[in-house]
Amino acid sequence: MKNIRKKIIAFLLALECLAFCISFNSKVYASWSPASEWKENGYPTEDWTTDKGTYHQIGFINDPKNNQLLLYVNICPDSKTNRNYEGSYRQLQPWGYNINVGNATYSVNLDVNPWNIQNGKSGYAGIGVWDPQTNQYKTKDNLCHYYADSDGRQSAIIKIPYNMFNRDDLNGSTKMTMQNTNLGGNTKITISGASTGPYIPAIIAFVLASIAAISYYHKRKLVRHEHQ
């Protein structure tokens, strides 16, 4: 019985390590589609809508480890609501992503024509950040990973490096707000601090292993006490 318990604890600890490795590496390797990648990392999303017929999934997190922000846009996620709406808008919105940092607002645009994205295909495009305070427009290539499924529902993950904002005060605790009136009206996402989403599986495995270990040693202590 003791050997079985030890094997169970060892298995749970190994599961914890595996979950951590998977969650860490998923950032790099889970790229078959933006929706799959975002979900695999456990990042949060919000449902935005500008009408009663269709909704969009939007995610926005801070990634200070890589000195960047991550923006996720799924224009028409597969759902009962969207499937029942024949005219639901499925093409990416390339413009209007306004990010507020302190007293400054920056506009992020995607250098992609959604009408040229073929169903079932993915690709990469550049992005641009306009700073109205200095009237500067910075661009970088291949930071937008876009995809269209077989039904033409388009999604994207956009990486926005800190250095595109013309400031050196951005970090993991900076408060930022993102809004796109074309997708969510007056809805906003506010972030402050790093996302812990990718490490949730590892935390769960660690808790399970800890409970098993405590339970095992507690039972051993009771057995010893009964034999004394």
Side-chain angles (χ1 to χ4, degrees):
M1 181 64 71
K2 291 182 179 179
N3 290 333
I4 294 176
R5 288 173 179 169
K6 288 181 179 179
K7 289 180 180 179
I8 292 174
I9 293 174
F11 172 76
L12 290 173
L13 290 172
L15 181 64
E16 173 196 349
C17 295
L18 178 63
F20 178 82
C21 292
I22 291 174
S23 63
F24 179 81
N25 288 324
S26 64
K27 273 188 166 184
V28 179
Y29 297 113
S31 58
W32 51 93
S33 77
S36 297
E37 183 176 351
W38 199 265
K39 183 178 180 180
E40 183 72 15
N41 279 282
Y43 293 147
T45 61
E46 294 184 7
D47 292 343
W48 284 12
T49 186
T50 51
D51 56 53
K52 296 181 180 180
T54 185
Y55 75 91
H56 326 291
Q57 284 184 351
I58 308 296
F60 184 52
I61 67 168
N62 195 352
D63 181 18
K65 182 179 179 180
N66 296 299
N67 295 316
Q68 65 183 1
L69 305 178
L70 295 178
L71 173 61
Y72 168 66
V73 182
N74 193 338
I75 291 296
C76 188
D78 191 15
S79 70
K80 183 177 180 180
T81 300
N82 285 337
R83 285 199 303 271
N84 291 339
Y85 187 66
E86 294 294 333
S88 59
Y89 185 69
R90 303 185 180 195
Q91 282 70 38
L92 277 173
Q93 173 57 255
W95 310 286
Y97 301 97
N98 295 317
I99 297 177
N100 180 266
V101 184
N103 296 322
T105 300
Y106 304 84
S107 180
V108 178
N109 301 317
L110 314 180
D111 186 20
V112 59
N113 185 343
W115 302 103
N116 290 338
I117 301 176
Q118 298 180 10
N119 292 0
K121 301 293 184 179
S122 65
Y124 291 86
I127 69 169
V129 176
W130 180 53
D131 180 0
Q133 291 75 222
T134 62
N135 200 30
Q136 289 184 330
Y137 189 72
K138 288 187 175 182
T139 61
K140 285 194 176 182
D141 296 331
N142 301 321
L143 294 182
C144 171
H145 173 210
Y146 61 82
Y147 172 76
D149 66 13
S150 58
D151 292 325
R153 304 173 190 272
Q154 297 181 5
S155 58
I157 288 181
I158 302 99
K159 298 178 180 179
I160 313 170
Y162 286 170
N163 59 20
M164 295 191 75
F165 292 95
N166 295 322
R167 55 197 307 162
D168 56 8
D169 60 343
L170 301 185
N171 53 56
S173 60
T174 304
K175 181 179 178 180
M176 286 167 273
T177 300
M178 195 280 295
Q179 179 184 27
N180 190 323
T181 57
N182 296 316
L183 300 178
N186 294 323
T187 307
K188 298 178 180 179
I189 295 182
T190 299
I191 57 173
S192 179
S195 170
T196 56
Y199 306 100
I200 290 176
I203 293 173
I204 293 174
F206 176 77
V207 171
L208 290 174
S210 299
I211 292 174
I214 292 172
S215 176
Y216 169 66
Y217 287 111
H218 180 67
K219 288 181 180 179
R220 282 191 63 185
K221 187 176 181 180
L222 289 177
V223 171
R224 287 179 179 175
H225 180 73
E226 289 175 356
H227 286 293
Q228 290 178 352

